Amino acid sequence: MIDFVLGAVAMACLVAAMFFWRYWRDTRDPLFLFFSCSFVLESINRTLVSVLGSWTEGQPKLYLIRLCAYLIILAGVAHKNRPRPPADR
């Protein structure tokens, strides 16, 4: 049953990644690309948890994947909020 739930969560992460990818393709806003990459990493993380059978969450390597996903989101937010020079008119 745990594998089924992990598979469903991995699939949901991939669906979210596809939505953000489509929004990025339409708007070219980099924040959507950062979110899409983060959700792909989350999907990979859930799949590895299921395949490796480490449901106890005791694998530090799996936490590093999740940490990278969250750092990508933070980088996207920082990129979105960085100051931009005023446009010349």
Side-chain angles (χ1 to χ4, degrees):
M1 184 67 166
I2 293 174
D3 288 333
F4 176 77
V5 173
L6 285 172
V9 171
M11 182 198 59
C13 288
L14 281 179
V15 169
M18 288 189 311
F19 275 110
F20 282 118
W21 179 266
R22 189 186 75 191
Y23 293 143
W24 172 77
R25 195 181 61 207
D26 292 343
T27 65
R28 295 294 179 193
D29 186 354
L31 183 63
F32 292 132
L33 184 62
F34 283 105
F35 270 98
S36 179
C37 292
S38 176
F39 274 106
V40 167
L41 280 178
E42 281 291 330
S43 177
I44 291 169
N45 183 36
R46 302 301 177 184
T47 302
L48 286 175
V49 167
S50 176
V51 169
L52 296 177
S54 59
W55 304 299
T56 60
E57 302 271 340
Q59 295 277 348
K61 294 176 185 175
L62 297 177
Y63 278 117
L64 289 177
I65 296 172
R66 198 175 300 171
L67 176 66
C68 288
Y70 295 142
L71 288 176
I72 288 172
I73 291 174
L74 286 174
V77 170
H79 177 74
K80 182 77 172 176
N81 291 318
R82 72 170 193 245
R84 290 175 177 71
D88 292 332
R89 292 186 183 186

